[in-house]
Amino acid sequence: EDQVTQSPEALRLQEGESSSLNCSYTVSGLRGLFWYRQDPGKGPEFLFTLYSAGEEKEKERLKATLTKKESFLHITAPKPEDSATYLCAVQAHSGTYKYIFGTGTRLKVLA
Amino acid sequence: DGGITQSPKYLFRKEGQNVTLSCEQNLNHDAMYWYRQDPGQGLRLIYYSQIVNDFQKGDIAEGYSVSREKKESFPLTVTSAQKNPTAFYLCASSMGSETQYFGPGTRLLVL
């Protein structure tokens, strides 16, 4: 069964304290892995798409990496405005457009 | 500006009442999706549509219905058969199997 697990469930960081969020997945043929940021009461905002092991993408203080079993979202020198829930999703080569989402990591960055 | 709009932002349902959530997109995307989000759970797929006049059930379709008469629109009806409708509902769209983009969401509450 296709599955996505995110860890930790919640993370508190001091401003400037770098860390990583994990997304482990099992899927029958990965088509793509997606990272989103979601603020309370709002829809998820797209961050990155990764397609193959070894791929990396960066945006400001965020860097996403992908292996055959997991993806990491690295946050370098975070600021309070980085506080949000980060969602990971995978899409399989199943012939449909369906995504499978993890439950997210709630990040709180303290000033 | 291209994007996805959802209305209303808040919706109240009485016992035995059907309510309809609106989703419109002007991104010229062919695929559209409805998700339900509950606290502590990942996004769960209710219905999706890959082309006009065609749609498929997701993982939790019971108690919901949809239509796709126009490419731009994918309304979701929460019927009285859905016994636990209180949740945050998210609409998304994509160009084929590419990245999904989300609307701002509708919060449904039961009176």
Side-chain angles (χ1 to χ4, degrees), chain B:
Chain B
D1 282 339
I4 303 170
T5 58
Q6 292 186 241
S7 62
K9 186 171 182 179
Y10 295 96
L11 185 59
F12 298 90
R13 194 191 91 163
K14 296 180 181 179
E15 288 286 336
Q17 186 182 38
N18 292 354
V19 292
T20 297
L21 286 62
S22 170
C23 178
E24 304 276 334
Q25 55 97 0
N26 61 3
L27 300 168
N28 200 33
H29 287 172
D30 49 2
M32 297 186 75
Y33 314 79
W34 274 106
Y35 291 90
R36 170 178 171 141
Q37 188 174 35
D38 296 281
Q41 299 195 37
L43 274 67
R44 293 184 290 167
L45 184 64
I46 304 172
Y47 271 97
Y48 65 105
S49 169
Q50 297 182 184
I51 57 173
V52 175
N53 292 322
D54 187 44
F55 48 83
Q56 286 78 41
K57 293 182 179 180
D59 301 316
I60 55 166
E62 185 175 353
Y64 300 96
S65 66
V66 293
S67 62
R68 185 85 187 278
E69 297 176 0
K70 297 188 301 181
K71 187 176 184 178
E72 304 79 21
S73 179
F74 192 41
L76 173 74
T77 296
V78 183
T79 75
S80 57
Q82 173 49 247
K83 298 306 179 187
N84 184 23
T86 297
F88 191 49
Y89 290 86
L90 289 160
C91 178
S93 70
S94 69
M95 180 62 76
S97 58
E98 298 303 317
T99 300
Q100 292 183 13
Y101 294 89
F102 286 84
T106 292
R107 187 166 298 281
L108 177 60
L109 301 166
V110 176
L111 293 176

